[in-house]
C-alpha cells in the first residue's frame, strides 16, 4: 500500500511510545518474585530444554505425583503438632503479625524421603524462622526418579494456597529454601518454571549426583532386587509390593489408634493363605469384639495421642509410603534421574532467574556439590546480564560447621526453650545437639536481612 503522508508530530508520538515501552520493561525486569494470585498449570508453563526432552522419562504415563486418591483441593486433616497448620497438602507456620505483615514467604522443600514430612523432620529450623517474622510454607512431596514430576506436584500444591495467603497478607516476596534434594528441586523450579516466581533462593547441602553415585551398588544389587520384589508370584498373584502396602496399611491403622478394617483383615488372610482359592472371600471381626477392644485400648490411645506419639508415628508412615513407589519405578526401568545431572547444569546456566542466592554448605559433608553449583550460577549471572544488563544478581556461598544432616538434628523449639531455661543456652545446645542447626538458622536470617527481607 502507498505510504501515508508524514505528519510533523509523528516523531513526538513515537518518542512517547518508546519511553513508555522502556519504562514498562524496566518495571518488568526489576520486579522480584511475589506471591502469585493465579497461575497457569505447571505443565503449561515449564520450559524444557532440548537436552532434557531427548532424555524422555520412564514415568511418562504419570500425570500427578500426589498420593493416590489425594487432590490438591482436599484437606488431609492430619494431626498437627505445635503451631503447624495443614492446608491443601501444605504445612504452614504463621508468624506473629502484631508488628506488621510477614517479612517474606519462605517456601521450604526438604531432602529425599524426609521431605515427605518437613514439618516433623525440619521442625526446629522452620519454627525458628517463623519466630523471626517469616511466613513458612513447607510443601511435602513423594520422592521420584522424575524430578520434573516432583516439581509439578509441589507447584500444584503450592498454587492452591498461594491466592488465599496473598489475600490475607498481601503481596510478599517468595523465597525458596531447599535442603539436599529439596535444593535441587528449588533450582529446577527457578530455572524451568517461569510462572513460579522466586525473589531469592537458599540452597542447603546442594547435590546433583547421578543415581549410581548417590546410591552405592544401585545397578549391581538394588535394581535387580527391586525388580524381583515387584514381580508377581504366579501361584498367589501377589508381589512384594503388595505385601509392603498391606504392612503400611496396618502401620497406618495402628498409628491412628484404630483396629484394622474388615477389608484389610481379609487381604491379610489372603496373603497368608498358601493355596489360592482356599481363603474365605470375606473375613470380618465381630462387631461386639471390635467394640470391646476399642473400649479396652481407648485410654491408651488417648494418652499416646495427647503425648504426640501417635501423630508422630502417623507422619513417619508417610515417609515409608514412598518405598513401594520407588520400587515400582526401578522395576519399570528407572536407572537415573530425570533430568540428568548434566541436563540440570545446562538448564541452570541458561535459565536460572533468582536475583539473590545463598549456597550453604557444611564442612563435613562428602556428598555436597556447593562449589560446582556456585560456578554454574555465576555463569548463569553472566548469561542473564548479557540479555538484561541492568539486572543485579548476587550469588554467595557460606560454609558452616556440620554435616549433611545438620538441618535435621534438633528438638522442637518448645523443648529447646525449656532446656535453655533449665541448663542455659550453651549447655542446652551442647546436650541436645542443636547448636549447628541454630547457626544454620542464624546464617539464613542474616542473609535474608541483608536483602531487606
Amino acid at each position: 500500500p502507498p505510504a501515508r503522508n508524514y505528519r510533523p508530530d509523528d516523531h513526538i508520538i513515537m518518542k512517547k511510545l518508546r519511553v513508555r515501552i522502556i519504562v514498562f520493561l524496566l518495571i518488568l525486569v526489576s520486579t522480584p518474585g511475589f506471591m502469585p494470585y493465579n497461575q497457569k498449570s505447571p505443565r503449561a508453563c515449564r520450559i524444557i530444554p532440548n537436552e532434557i526432552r531427548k532424555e524422555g522419562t520412564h514415568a511418562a504415563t504419570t500425570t500427578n505425583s500426589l498420593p493416590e486418591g489425594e487432590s490438591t483441593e482436599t484437606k488431609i486433616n492430619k494431626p498437627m503438632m505445635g503451631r503447624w497448620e495443614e492446608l491443601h497438602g501444605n504445612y504452614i507456620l504463621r508468624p506473629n503479625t502484631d508488628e506488621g505483615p510477614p517479612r517474606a514467604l519462605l517456601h521450604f522443600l526438604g531432602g529425599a524421603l524426609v521431605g515427605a514430612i518437613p514439618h516433623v523432620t525440619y521442625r526446629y529450623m522452620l519454627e525458628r524462622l517463623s519466630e523471626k517474622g517469616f511466613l513458612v510454607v513447607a510443601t511435602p512431596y513423594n520422592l521420584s526418579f522424575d524430578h520434573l514430576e516432583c516439581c509439578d506436584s509441589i507447584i500444584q500444591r503450592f498454587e492452591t494456597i498461594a491466592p488465599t495467603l496473598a489475600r490475607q497478607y498481601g503481596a510478599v516476596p517468595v523465597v525458596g529454601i531447599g535442603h539436599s534434594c529439596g535444593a535441587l528441586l528449588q533450582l529446577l523450579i527457578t530455572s524451568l518454571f517461569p510462572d513460579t516466581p522466586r525473589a531469592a533462593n537458599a540452597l542447603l547441602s546442594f547435590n546433583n549426583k547421578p543415581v549410581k553415585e548417590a546410591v552405592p551398588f544401585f545397578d549391581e544389587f538394588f535394581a535387580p532386587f527391586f525388580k524381583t520384589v515387584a514381580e508377581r508370584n504366579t501361584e498367589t498373584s501377589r508381589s512384594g509390593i503388595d505385601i509392603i502396602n498391606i504392612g503400611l496399611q496396618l502401620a497406618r491403622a495402628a498409628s491412628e489408634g484404630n483396629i484394622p478394617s474388615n477389608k484389610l483383615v481379609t487381604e491379610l488372610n489372603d496373603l497368608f493363605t498358601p493355596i489360592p482359592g482356599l481363603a474365605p472371600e470375606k473375613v470380618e471381626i465381630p462387631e461386639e469384639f471390635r467394640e470391646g477392644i476399642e473400649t479396652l485400648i481407648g485410654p491408651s490411645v488417648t494418652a499416646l495421642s495427647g503425648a504426640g506419639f501417635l501423630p508422630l508415628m502417623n507422619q513417619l508412615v508417610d515417609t515409608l509410603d514412598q518405598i513401594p513407589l520407588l520400587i515400582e519405578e526401578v522395576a519399570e526401568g528407572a536407572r537415573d534421574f530425570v533430568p540428568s545431572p548434566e541436563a540440570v547444569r545446562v538448564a541452570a546456566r541458561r535459565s536460572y532467574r533468582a536475583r539473590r542466592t545463598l549456597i550453604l554448605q557444611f564442612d563435613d559433608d562428602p556428598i555436597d556439590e556447593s562449589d560446582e553449583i556456585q560456578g554454574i550460577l555465576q555463569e548463569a549471572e553472566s548469561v542473564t546480564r548479557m540479555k538484561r544488563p541492568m539486572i543485579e544478581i548476587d550469588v554467595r556461598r557460606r560454609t558452616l560447621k556440620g554435616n549433611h544432616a545438620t538441618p535435621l538434628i534438633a528438638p522442637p523449639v518448645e523443648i529447646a526453650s525449656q532446656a535453655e531455661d533449665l541448663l542455659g543456652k550453651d549447655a542446652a545446645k551442647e546436650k541436645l545437639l542443636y547448636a549447628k542447626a541454630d547457626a544454620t538458622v542464624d546464617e539464613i536470617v542474616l542473609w535474608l536481612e541483608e536483602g531487606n527481607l
Side-chain angles (χ1 to χ4, degrees):
R4 66 175 178 82
N5 294 332
Y6 176 80
R7 296 195 308 236
D9 58 347
D10 275 2
H11 72 286
I12 299 175
I13 295 173
M14 293 303 297
K15 184 176 180 180
K16 290 181 178 179
L17 181 60
R18 284 196 299 270
V19 169
R20 290 178 181 178
I21 291 174
I22 291 171
V23 170
F24 171 78
L25 292 174
L26 288 175
I27 293 173
L28 185 65
V29 301
S30 62
T31 303
F34 284 98
M35 187 188 305
Y37 283 85
N38 184 26
Q39 291 201 10
K40 302 174 184 177
S41 164
R43 293 188 177 280
C45 68
R46 65 156 77 146
I47 298 175
I48 310 299
N50 290 332
E51 290 82 353
I52 299 178
R53 291 183 189 278
K54 291 175 183 177
E55 293 175 6
T57 170
H58 63 274
T61 58
T62 304
T63 58
N64 196 328
S65 295
L66 297 180
E68 184 178 353
E70 181 185 324
S71 165
T72 55
E73 298 300 324
T74 60
K75 186 170 180 176
I76 302 174
N77 285 323
K78 291 183 180 293
M80 292 291 101
M81 294 176 285
R83 297 188 294 112
W84 287 94
E85 304 172 37
E86 187 279 324
L87 185 61
H88 298 306
N90 299 272
Y91 299 109
I92 303 172
L93 271 179
R94 301 177 189 270
N96 185 345
T97 56
D98 291 343
E99 299 179 0
R103 300 164 64 176
L105 185 155
L106 307 183
H107 187 205
F108 180 80
L109 304 177
L113 297 178
V114 293
I117 50 171
H119 62 303
V120 176
T121 48
Y122 296 89
R123 185 177 173 186
Y124 177 83
M125 184 176 77
L126 298 180
E127 289 181 352
R128 278 284 318 276
L129 289 169
S130 175
E131 288 180 351
K132 299 294 184 179
F134 297 100
L135 173 62
V136 175
V137 176
T139 302
Y141 64 93
N142 282 338
L143 183 64
S144 170
F145 284 80
D146 189 340
H147 288 155
L148 295 179
E149 288 290 337
C150 291
C151 292
D152 276 338
S153 69
I154 289 164
I155 296 171
Q156 201 171 0
R157 280 180 166 174
F158 181 69
E159 286 179 355
T160 60
I161 63 165
T164 301
L165 296 176
R167 285 192 294 269
Q168 292 174 355
Y169 298 110
V172 296
V174 178
V175 177
I177 300 180
H179 173 239
S180 191
C181 182
L184 174 61
L185 296 178
Q186 293 286 17
L187 181 86
L188 289 173
I189 289 172
T190 309
S191 301
L192 298 178
F193 295 79
D195 281 3
T196 304
R198 290 286 186 269
N201 277 331
L203 309 178
L204 284 62
S205 301
F206 180 90
N207 69 84
N208 180 36
K209 294 183 180 298
V211 170
K212 294 178 183 179
E213 294 183 26
V215 183
F217 307 107
F218 178 80
D219 283 340
E220 296 83 359
F221 174 76
F222 287 102
F225 175 69
F226 286 169
K227 189 174 182 179
T228 301
V229 170
E231 289 177 350
R232 293 194 174 276
N233 186 296
T234 54
E235 295 181 357
T236 63
S237 74
R238 293 279 188 181
S239 71
I241 293 178
D242 294 329
I243 297 173
I244 294 172
N245 282 326
I246 290 174
L248 289 172
Q249 291 180 59
L250 288 170
R252 178 77 67 189
S255 70
E256 294 172 350
N258 296 329
I259 298 173
S261 66
N262 290 330
K263 179 183 177 183
L264 183 54
V265 171
T266 301
E267 291 180 356
L268 194 61
N269 184 69
D270 291 344
L271 183 65
F272 289 102
T273 301
I275 302 176
L278 293 182
E281 293 184 4
K282 190 174 184 180
V283 179
E284 294 185 353
I285 298 176
E287 197 61 34
E288 298 81 5
F289 181 74
R290 183 183 291 273
E291 290 177 357
I293 294 295
E294 288 175 348
T295 301
L296 182 65
I297 66 174
S300 298
V301 169
T302 301
L304 291 171
S305 296
F309 178 75
L310 288 184
L312 177 60
M313 294 304 297
N314 186 268
Q315 301 291 345
L316 292 177
V317 175
D318 287 345
T319 302
L320 298 177
D321 278 340
Q322 301 170 87
I323 294 175
L325 300 176
L326 293 171
I327 292 175
E328 285 184 345
E329 284 191 78
V330 175
E332 291 171 2
R335 292 297 181 271
D336 205 350
F337 299 119
V338 177
S340 68
E342 179 56 32
V344 170
R345 290 188 280 268
V346 171
R349 285 190 189 97
R350 292 180 180 178
S351 308
Y352 187 78
R353 305 181 316 278
R355 304 291 177 81
R356 300 182 67 238
T357 301
L358 171 66
I359 302 169
L360 199 57
Q361 68 178 127
F362 299 98
D363 60 0
D364 186 21
D365 186 353
I367 64 173
D368 183 274
E369 295 183 315
S370 293
D371 53 345
E372 179 180 288
I373 195 61
Q374 181 184 20
I376 290 170
L377 296 187
Q378 287 172 341
E379 291 178 35
E381 175 187 359
S382 301
V383 172
T384 301
R385 297 198 69 170
M386 287 175 62
K387 299 175 183 176
R388 300 175 177 178
M390 299 186 68
I391 290 182
E392 293 292 334
I393 295 178
D394 176 45
V395 177
R396 64 182 67 183
R397 178 159 61 105
R398 295 286 185 269
T399 302
L400 300 177
K401 291 186 177 298
N403 55 46
H404 197 77
T406 289
L408 300 158
I409 303 173
V413 166
E414 60 266 24
I415 294 178
S417 298
Q418 293 171 9
E420 289 175 8
D421 291 340
L422 291 173
L423 306 174
K425 280 191 175 183
D426 294 339
K429 290 178 182 181
E430 181 181 354
K431 296 289 185 183
L432 298 182
L433 306 175
Y434 66 96
K436 295 172 183 176
D438 210 49
T440 302
V441 173
D442 291 341
E443 188 67 36
I444 294 172
V445 171
L446 176 63
W447 171 74
L448 289 167
E449 290 175 343
E450 289 175 353
N452 296 319
L453 297 174

